Amino acid sequence: MLWNVTTAEYLNSGHMACPGCGASLSMRHALKVLGEETIVVLPACCWSIIAGGFPTTALSVPLLHVPFATAAACASGVRRALLSRGREEVTVMAWAGDGGTFDIGLQALSGAAERREDFLYVCYDNEAYMNTGIQQSSATPAGAWTTTTPAGKEFAYGKKDILEILRAHRPAYLVTATIACPEDFLAKFAAARKRRGFRFIHLLSPCPPGWKIDSRDSLAVTRLAVDSGVFPLVEMDDGGRLRLTCEPAHPVPVADYLRAQGRFRTVRDEDLEPLQRRVDERLESFR
Amino acid sequence: MSGHEPAIMPPGNYYLTGNEALAEGAIAAGCRFYAGYPITPSSEIMERMAARLDEIDGGVFMQMEDEIASICAVIGAVWAGARGMTATSGPGFSLMQEAIGYAAITETPLVIADIQRAGPGTGQATKVGGGDLMQAKWGSHGDYTPIAMCPWSVQEMYDLTIRAFNLAETWRVPVFVMGEEAVGHLKEGLTVDAPPAVINHREEKGATPFGHELPDGVPPMPAFGEGEKLLITGSTHDHRGFRKTDDPAVQAQLTGRINDKIMNHRDEIVDTEAHAVDDADIVVVACGFTARSVLYAIETLRTEGLKVGLLRLKTIWPFPDDIIRTVCGSGRKILVPEMNRGQMAGEVMKYAGGDVIPLNRTDGRIIHPHLIMETIRGIA
C-alpha cells in the first residue's frame, strides 16, 4: 500500500504521553485520516492526561472529556444533536481505553451499538488501568502482572473477547488494528470514516511502563503480538464473520511475544504450550 | 491463599502510607472480603488488599468492572457471612450512592473508604479535597443516617478503620472512612498494639432480621445458609423482611428506626478531641488533615498569648451537635477551616451560639498553618 498520509497534524507537540506510548501515535494517525471535521469524546483514561490542559491542549479538534462510564452515551448525544442540526459531515469519535470499554463503559457501549448510533468508537487497549498505576482490567491477558494481579493474572480468566461481544451487536463496521502495522491501521480508519452507523475499532496499544518494555521497543513488541497471532488483524465481513485482513508477516511463536515483556515474567515454560494452542485455534478461526 | 503469613500485622512500629494503614486496619478488624475498582488517590488500598488477602486463609479479593459492582459485591458478600469493604474516591463514591441507600435500608454492615480528592466531576484526581462530607450524609435519596469517620493521621487511618467496622457491625449500617488524599498518601509512623477487640453483629436464632422490640433497636442479623428464612429487599419491608410498599405505618416505622437507632445512640458513636478549648476565646472546629495544621497554629499562637483552642471531629456523622453547643457557645468566635466551600461550617452554624467564621480552600492544596494563624490574628 502506498504511504499516502497528510502532513497536517491534529495532535500537536506538548502532549503528555510517556515515551513509546502507542495511544499518542494511534491518535495522531487516526486524526490524520479522519481530518479536522472530527469531535473526540474521551472518558477517563490515559488520554485524559495525554491531551494536556488549556492552553496547551494537544488536539486541534474539539474534545469532550466525559465521566468514566459514559463515552458511548455522550457520543450518542453529540451525534444525534449534530444530525438534528444538519451537520452530518462531522465525524464523532469516542476514544476510550480498555477499562472504559471492556469494564465500566460496557453498558453504554452496548446501548449505543444496539441503537445503531452513527459514530466511531475506538478502544485503544493497553491491557490494564495504566493511568492509575497498572491495575488489571478485563482486557488484561492471562499471565500478565499488574499491581492487583501480583502473581500474574490467572489463566482461567484470560482476556475478555470484546470482538465477539461487539459482533453479537452486528455493528456497521468492526475491525482490529494497531499502529505497529500502519498501512492496515490507516486503511481501516479510512473505511470507518466512510461508513454510517455504529463503528468499532479495537486497537492494541503498547504501554512501555505497564508492559515492562523499553520505550524504544514499543512498536517492535506490538508487531510480535500480530506476528505471533496473539492480536490478529481482522475485519467483520458482510456475513458477520471475522476475517483476517493481514496474515502474520513473519510468524513467530507466542513465547517470543511474551518473553519480550517484563509483565509476563511469572509465566512458566509449561504454560506456553496451552497458550500457543489457544492462539493458533483462534487465528485459524479467522481464516 | 497460602495461609503462611500472619493475618494481622504483629504489634510493633511501622512506617506506612495512610492508604496502606487503612488496609491493614481493615484486616485487623476482621475484613476478609474486598471488592474494588481503581481510582486515584485510593488505589493503594486495593493494591494492598490484593496482595494481603491472597496471603490469608479465607481472604477474597475481587477487582470489579466499576464502583457500582464493587459496593454491590460487598453487600452480597456481607449477607453471605463475610466482613467486607470497598474503597474509592469522589467519582466512584458518586456511583456508589444508590447502593449506599440500599445498604442503609437493608441494614447491611459494611465499610467504604472515600479518599477524597478535589472535585466536583473529575476535578483534580491527584490533589487533596474535602468536599465529600455532605455527600456522605445526603448522597443517596431518602432518609437514612450513616456514620462517618475523619482520620487525621496514618495512625487513625488504621485505628478509625477498625472502629468503622465495629460500628458497622454494632449498628448494622454503612460506615464511611472519609480520608483525604493528603492523609492517604502521607507516610509516617504507625504503632500497632495487641489485636483489637472485634465486634460482631448480634445473632439470634429465629429472630426477625428487620425489626426489634425497641423502636430504635438494632435487630439481630443472620447470614445466608445459617438456617434462617431470609428475604432481603431494598423496598419498604416489615420486621420479617416482607415487602410492604403500600403500608404507611411500616414505611414510617422502618425509616424511623433506621435513623433513630443511630441518632438516639449518637453519644456512643460521636468522637471528638478538644485541645486547649477551656479558656479559649476562639475555637477552631476542624477535621481530617486540616486539624493537623490547626493544632500547629493554636500551639504557636498560645505562645503569643492568644487564647485559641481546637475541637477536632474524629467522627463527622452523626454530627456532634451537643458538643458543638457546649464548646462553641455565645461569646466565642468559631473558626471552621475546611477543604470545601463550607460544608461543615453550615452544620456548626446550626448548633453554635458564637459567631461562625468559615475558612475555605478549594484549590487542591492543604490549608497551611500560616493561613490559619493569619486568619486567627485577624479576628482575635
Side-chain angles (χ1 to χ4, degrees):
Chain A
M1 182 194 176
L2 198 64
W3 184 259
N4 182 19
V5 186
T6 175
T7 54
E9 295 287 356
Y10 303 102
L11 170 62
N12 302 304
S13 60
H15 68 74
M16 295 176 75
C18 306
C21 173
S24 56
L25 209 52
S26 299
M27 177 70 93
R28 180 181 174 210
H29 289 86
L31 288 178
K32 278 173 179 281
V33 177
L34 300 177
E36 65 180 342
E37 293 279 282
T38 302
I39 295 172
V40 177
V41 178
L42 202 68
C45 58
C46 287
W47 249 96
S48 322
I49 309 300
I50 296 171
F54 187 86
T56 58
T57 304
L59 287 186
S60 46
V61 298
L63 186 55
L64 184 64
H65 287 274
V66 301
F68 208 169
T70 68
C74 290
S76 299
V78 171
R79 185 59 184 160
R80 291 285 187 107
L82 286 174
L83 289 175
S84 77
R85 296 173 61 203
R87 300 296 306 275
E88 196 180 339
E89 76 286 2
V90 178
T91 301
V92 175
M93 176 170 71
W95 180 274
D98 47 296
T101 302
F102 287 60
D103 293 342
I104 192 169
L106 188 63
Q107 178 169 280
L109 173 61
S110 174
E114 189 274 333
R115 293 189 306 269
R116 305 288 185 262
E117 299 290 352
D118 180 26
F119 67 86
L120 169 61
Y121 190 109
V122 179
C123 172
Y124 69 100
D125 177 6
N126 53 27
E127 304 197 311
Y129 292 87
M130 300 309 186
N131 188 31
T132 49
I134 321 173
Q135 295 88 10
Q136 70 160 327
S137 74
S138 60
T140 301
W145 167 91
T146 67
T147 55
T148 53
T149 52
K153 187 172 178 180
E154 283 184 45
F155 281 82
Y157 297 164
K159 184 182 175 90
K160 185 186 279 182
D161 194 341
I162 196 76
L163 273 186
E164 281 300 318
I165 293 170
L166 265 299
R167 198 173 71 87
H169 289 76
R170 291 292 185 270
Y173 189 64
L174 175 63
V175 295
T176 64
T178 172
I179 194 59
C181 301
E183 294 90 346
D184 181 77
F185 176 101
L186 294 167
K188 284 170 174 170
F189 272 87
R193 181 172 182 241
K194 290 196 191 101
R195 298 282 182 107
R196 282 289 161 266
F198 189 79
R199 294 149 275 163
F200 186 90
I201 299 181
H202 180 200
L203 300 178
L204 183 65
S205 183
C207 171
W211 291 11
K212 300 206 172 295
I213 58 175
D214 198 292
S215 56
R216 85 184 87 178
D217 298 330
S218 182
L219 293 181
V221 168
T222 311
R223 269 196 293 274
L224 287 177
V226 176
D227 283 338
S228 63
V230 167
F231 189 79
L233 299 177
V234 301
E235 179 174 46
M236 192 181 73
D237 65 18
D238 293 340
R241 287 202 55 186
L242 294 165
R243 298 287 191 184
L244 286 181
T245 51
C246 298
E247 282 288 338
H250 311 282
V252 293
V254 170
D256 286 17
Y257 173 60
L258 302 189
R259 294 304 181 215
Q261 303 169 65
R263 64 174 168 154
F264 291 112
R265 69 179 179 276
T266 58
V267 174
R268 299 165 304 174
D269 285 339
E270 56 263 42
D271 299 326
L272 291 170
E273 199 270 322
L275 276 179
Q276 180 72 53
R277 203 165 50 230
R278 210 188 288 180
V279 166
D280 289 344
E281 281 168 12
R282 186 158 179 267
L283 190 63
E284 191 53 40
S285 76
F286 297 141
R287 288 199 169 105
Chain B
M1 298 176 199
S2 65
H4 299 315
E5 298 292 323
I8 302 176
M9 289 205 307
N13 294 316
Y14 297 87
Y15 185 59
L16 291 178
T17 66
N19 282 343
E20 291 166 334
L22 190 150
E24 290 299 335
I27 288 167
C31 175
R32 296 293 178 269
F33 183 95
Y34 185 93
Y37 188 71
I39 186 166
T40 305
S42 78
S43 298
E44 298 84 5
I45 296 170
M46 180 169 77
E47 292 172 2
R48 184 95 176 180
M49 293 303 269
R52 291 284 277 124
L53 289 175
D54 193 48
E55 299 167 345
I56 295 170
D57 280 333
V60 178
F61 170 83
M62 292 178 77
Q63 188 174 326
M64 305 303 291
E65 67 273 23
D66 60 25
E67 288 88 352
I68 298 172
S70 301
I71 185 170
C72 291
V74 174
I75 290 170
V78 169
W79 281 102
R83 188 170 300 207
M85 176 175 81
T86 186
T88 189
S89 187
F93 198 43
S94 294
L95 284 178
M96 291 180 182
Q97 292 302 328
E98 185 192 5
I100 287 168
Y102 177 92
I105 199 172
T106 56
E107 300 177 77
T108 305
L110 52 87
V111 172
I112 300 159
D114 175 25
I115 309 304
Q116 298 170 82
R117 66 194 219 187
T122 308
Q124 293 176 298
T126 61
K127 304 285 189 242
V128 69
D132 302 355
L133 298 180
M134 279 296 169
Q135 189 182 22
K137 175 66 190 80
W138 300 108
S140 201
H141 55 280
D143 287 296
Y144 61 100
T145 302
I147 297 173
M149 329 293 291
C150 294
W152 77 335
S153 63
V154 169
Q155 185 70 47
E156 281 194 354
M157 288 289 262
Y158 182 85
D159 293 340
L160 295 190
T161 300
I162 294 171
R163 182 155 194 255
F165 274 96
N166 284 341
L167 288 169
E169 292 285 326
T170 303
W171 302 104
R172 275 187 64 183
V173 69
V175 178
F176 308 122
V177 182
M178 304 301 290
E180 296 148 326
E181 182 278 338
V183 75
H185 288 159
L186 177 70
K187 199 162 192 178
E188 64 182 5
L190 165 71
T191 301
V192 172
D193 296 326
V198 170
I199 297 170
N200 284 313
H201 58 261
R202 205 157 59 79
E203 293 177 38
E204 189 184 317
K205 283 273 172 226
T208 53
F210 297 102
H212 198 263
E213 60 276 14
L214 302 172
D216 63 352
V218 182
M221 183 182 173
F224 294 134
E226 291 176 353
E228 302 290 327
K229 288 176 179 158
L230 259 179
L231 173 64
I232 298 144
T233 173
S235 295
T236 296
H237 47 269
D238 69 9
H239 60 290
R240 297 163 299 182
F242 292 172
R243 290 179 79 247
K244 287 284 173 70
T245 55
D246 281 342
D247 190 329
V250 170
Q251 165 73 0
Q253 196 177 31
L254 178 64
T255 52
R257 189 175 54 74
I258 63 173
N259 286 282
D260 291 347
K261 72 179 179 181
I262 306 297
M263 290 309 287
N264 290 349
H265 299 100
R266 60 191 186 282
D267 289 351
E268 298 163 52
I269 297 166
V270 164
D271 191 10
T272 62
E273 194 176 79
H275 299 263
V277 297
D278 289 346
D279 67 340
D281 299 322
I282 298 171
V283 174
V284 186
V285 179
C287 70
F289 199 87
T290 303
R292 295 170 76 105
S293 295
V294 177
L295 183 62
Y296 179 88
I298 63 161
E299 284 175 350
T300 308
L301 292 173
R302 281 270 167 185
T303 65
E304 296 174 14
L306 283 177
K307 289 184 176 170
V308 288
L310 162 65
L311 178 68
R312 179 167 81 89
L313 312 190
K314 294 168 78 173
T315 56
I316 183 163
W317 307 116
F319 201 73
D321 49 357
D322 286 341
I323 293 165
I324 295 289
R325 275 192 198 97
T326 308
V327 178
C328 305
S330 57
R332 283 178 161 172
K333 286 179 177 162
I334 317 300
L335 180 67
V336 187
E338 49 187 329
M339 290 184 278
N340 57 50
R341 299 298 298 173
Q343 298 188 13
M344 191 166 68
E347 283 305 292
V348 174
M349 283 175 198
K350 283 187 188 173
Y351 309 109
D355 287 342
V356 176
I357 302 153
L359 171 60
N360 309 115
R361 184 163 196 179
T362 52
D363 62 355
R365 308 286 181 96
I366 61 161
I367 301 177
H368 293 100
H370 67 80
L371 182 59
I372 293 163
M373 288 191 277
E374 226 169 77
T375 310
I376 290 173
R377 287 192 193 106
I379 61 175

